[in-house]
Amino acid sequence: MALLGIIGSPCAASAGNEGNGEVQLSPLEMAASKDTIDHITQVDIERKTARNLWEALRGVEGVNLQTSAGRNEGTISIRGSNRYQVGLYIDDIPVATAYRNEWDANNILTYGLESIEVSKGYSSPLLISNNNLAGAVNLRTAKPKKEFEATAKYMNFFDRNVQNQGQMAAASVGTKQDLYYLKGTFIFNNQNFFTYPASFDSAPYQPGSRARNSDNQTLSGNIIGGWTPNDDVDVMVGYTRQHFQKGQPFDAAQTRTGDSNTYPYKRFWEWPEYETSRVYANGNFNLSSKAHLKAVAYYDWHQDTAKSYTDVSMTKRDSADKTYDQFTTGGQLTFDYTFNPANKIALSAGYRLLSHKEYNDYSVFDDTGVKPSSKLKKKAADVGSQLDEHITETYTDLGAEYTLKPVDKLTLVFGSSLSTMVPQTLESRDHTTGAMNSYKDGLSDPKTLFNYQVGAFYDLTEHHEVFATFAKKSRFATMRERYMRTNGTPANPDLRPEQAYHYELGYKGIFGDWLKLNSSVYYSDVTDLITSQGTSGNMSFSNLNRATFYGYELGAEAVFNQYVSVGAVFNYMHWNNCTNDDKLTQLPELTSTLYSVITPVEGFSIIPQVNMSSGFYWNSAPYDTYYRKAPGFTTVDLKAVYDINKNFSVEAGVKNMFDQEYAYSAYYPEPGRSFFMGVTATF
């Protein structure tokens, strides 16, 4: 948790030693950048024992953890946003599936990262527009900084009954030479199951406390190489490969009927294949003492397969196996020039191609006994594995930012961006004839987003700053939202972009050398919200809603002495659906995180953390017509770390210490008490 964004990290890690287990105290510092980015360092990640991005973003100002429990995905909200309104980047390269423009925060592992940057509302216009309506999350890869460096980490996880839940094993080795650097990072992360709290009432699809179909496994590798012929050139190329598979925990509702639904909801799914490969290049060139050029290029391929079954035995398929085969390829140039200490300009230009193919394997689909009139009955052309849908579109992105210091203490930052999307291909298969039908006619008109923003930053003193920002942001509707088919044709290809207007006033500063504060108030007005209508098989999306959000955020950290530091984050947010009485779900009014790092003797740290949330609305079940208020909850985590020597450390701890029962999505409880232990080696 980096409480003050650019002010600095609450702890300091040895450079390049990602995942080394250390949690140290350090002096508080004030950085010179003029932005509103929150920085989460690798030491923050270690303090939270966060294996993935979802866990790492817990306790960050303005961020709420959420889940898409029906798909077993971790999602986040920034100041009331939904999952499609936050862009994800790795080293400034956009990362998201082409069809849904989404990402699973549970599937993004944090080992090997240098830091995570979180922008809220006001975000860089120089980033390739990746639907940053509410903000952006940018992950930074840690490069090697020594002639030889290596780390290895092993962790084991146990449920409240001390049954083996899973393991994580990771290793990284790298070298930094005068003319080049190399580094490889490899991670194995395995979950056999998780266990519900002891208070959980056994349910028809979830008898007992062990969550059924709750396994997942990740195997990932990342290799980077860099060329550094002098201090003014750094060209990095990389290759990432990740294999992921997961189950879908069953609905844990009790049996009941009504409201046009029957509970528990029948969703017996698994994803045996969730593959990602990424090839990328990232170059930085100091053309002169005043001019800098950055270039990125990438090819990002993703494929996943979903299987659906008729019941909990997961033996008979009730639909075709669905496979998405998608890729994004593109590049961007960014140039900045500093005229003098008071004037700087930056320009960017990028191009992207997005491709989505949907295949359905009907050979595994047993429709015996299904009535011929049923939508579940296979059609004449539903034989074997078939390409059912093909969509491609191109994007052009332009950005500009000008930094002006009219007086020494005041910095003004003006920014704008222009993104143009052109549909290229839209084809879908006729299930009776087997022919691919093209719907390109009438869908090739370009759609454009124009965004702009301004920030004013005033230095009261060297260690105290106030700021005010305004940002107009927008996002394109996703392929799924525009082209989901109703009776074989695209439902709403002309959806308007969502629009948002963000306003923020803030303060950040350091008192003495022991206390730092970050505080802000904000207001966001979002129009043309894209909302789903209808039920499964007849769902479509429309621009229906307008919603407003306002709130207050406070972050504080105190380093009392070499033995104790304390941190806290408090978030208050109020939302209003201005269009109808529908509730916005998974958005608590109050959340808070408290933590401490207690070091009674050198090399030994005790780290408690308390996470609190007020109640929030959730859908009672998919397609339900009413909402329920989920109760608030408090969870407590505790961890101890001991540095055996400069090369080895051990840790042990407990999460959800008091076995609190809670859920982000209705009828999908979160894990109960669990334990972990681990060892880390650093060289």
Side-chain angles (χ1 to χ4, degrees), residues 390-457:
H390 181 205
I391 305 171
T392 62
E393 51 196 28
T394 60
Y395 292 77
T396 302
D397 303 294
L398 302 173
E401 187 172 74
Y402 193 86
T403 303
L404 171 68
K405 290 179 69 69
V407 296
D408 184 55
K409 290 189 175 185
L410 176 63
T411 301
L412 303 176
V413 184
F414 305 91
S416 64
S417 64
L418 179 70
S419 294
T420 302
M421 183 271 290
V422 180
Q424 301 289 332
T425 308
L426 177 57
E427 298 175 335
S428 63
R429 190 171 68 91
D430 187 305
H431 288 235
T432 301
T433 67
M436 292 296 289
N437 297 324
S438 175
Y439 299 97
K440 186 174 181 180
D441 292 343
L443 299 179
S444 58
D445 294 335
K447 294 177 172 60
T448 301
L449 302 180
F450 178 62
N451 294 325
Y452 50 90
Q453 62 186 44
V454 60
F457 304 85

Side-chain angles (χ1 to χ4, degrees), residues 517-536:
L517 296 176
N518 189 28
S519 179
S520 61
V521 294
Y522 63 89
Y523 175 82
S524 297
D525 189 343
V526 186
T527 58
D528 285 330
L529 273 169
I530 297 171
T531 305
S532 62
Q533 296 178 297
T535 58
S536 180

